[in-house]
Amino acid sequence: MADYGAMIVLDNGNPFVTPQSTPFCLYQKVLVNSGANGVAVAEIPIDPSYPAIAFCRVSNTTAPTFTHAGRVGGVIRVSSGTPVGAANTPHTLTAYIFAIFPQTLPAWGFAIWDAAGKLVLTNESRVLSDLVTVGTPGAGGGINIDQTLAGSWAVAPATLGMSLWQTMVQGQPVIISVMAYTGCRFDGVNTRINAVSNQTGQGSPAGGSNTGIVLTAINTAAYD
């Protein structure tokens, strides 16, 4: 137990104790439509000292679409796109950025400060919770992930593996590497989370690799 502070239990029974556990809270929600090239991109400025994580989903499309998220210093960049070589189908990218950052003091309610005097939690904070693991480590993870969840979900994107394809260019064999990224497509009722390549494979399969990792997803109902 903490020497002082508050112990709060979430609806799912998971507790966190201040000041030893400072929750990630919704920092910003971003929605962007893809351009003519089939790619949607958004850059979110953030204090470099704030720990942060991004969850992404795509909607308004039936085509396979991959997502990506990365951070360089004070900018988080999220993107989505259709595989190179496939039709550039329009879609909408929604990104949920969570971070540990000073909260805004509400007009009324409750507020909790840490020992350093930073406001870490209020009644208006939208805390990151109810994380769900998608896939199983090893053969059931990575490029083999393909799971459909009821409702609207977003996933923390990751690279799931790669495949190699051999094709002929001017009579010479050429090996092409195709990366497998994370797809998270909401159709209005369910969300499919699976591996989506960054380009269409051409020629003959020539091997590949599977990271075997699992993915982390959140139900977006609490943040929409």
Side-chain angles (χ1 to χ4, degrees), residues 27-86:
Y27 179 80
Q28 190 171 339
K29 175 185 172 183
V30 177
L31 188 148
V32 59
N33 293 319
S34 62
N37 62 351
V39 175
V41 179
E43 294 186 344
I44 301 95
I46 188 171
D47 190 301
S49 68
Y50 296 168
I53 184 172
F55 293 83
C56 299
R57 76 160 194 218
V58 296
S59 57
N60 299 324
T61 182
T62 58
T65 309
F66 62 86
T67 62
H68 185 268
R71 177 176 184 172
V72 177
V75 176
I76 294 175
R77 188 177 191 269
V78 294
S79 62
S80 58
T82 51
V84 174

Side-chain angles (χ1 to χ4, degrees), residues 61-147:
T61 182
T62 58
T65 309
F66 62 86
T67 62
H68 185 268
R71 177 176 184 172
V72 177
V75 176
I76 294 175
R77 188 177 191 269
V78 294
S79 62
S80 58
T82 51
V84 174
N88 292 333
T89 306
H91 65 274
T92 301
L93 168 66
T94 305
Y96 305 81
I97 312 301
F98 293 86
I100 296 177
F101 64 102
Q103 301 294 290
T104 300
L105 186 65
W108 58 271
F110 77 87
I112 299 175
W113 287 261
D114 64 13
K118 181 175 68 176
L119 181 59
V120 297
L121 189 66
T122 78
N123 57 293
E124 295 180 351
S125 300
R126 303 171 79 177
V127 176
L128 174 61
S129 63
D130 297 335
L131 303 178
V132 171
T133 298
V134 179
T136 56
I143 60 175
N144 294 320
I145 290 175
D146 192 346
Q147 187 170 338

Side-chain angles (χ1 to χ4, degrees), residues 162-179 199-209:
M162 62 172 291
S163 60
L164 300 176
W165 294 78
Q166 180 176 304
T167 186
M168 302 298 289
V169 178
Q170 296 181 347
Q172 299 297 318
V174 175
I175 298 296
I176 298 175
S177 175
V178 176
M179 301 303 298
Q199 61 180 304
T200 56
Q202 299 180 6
S204 303
S209 63

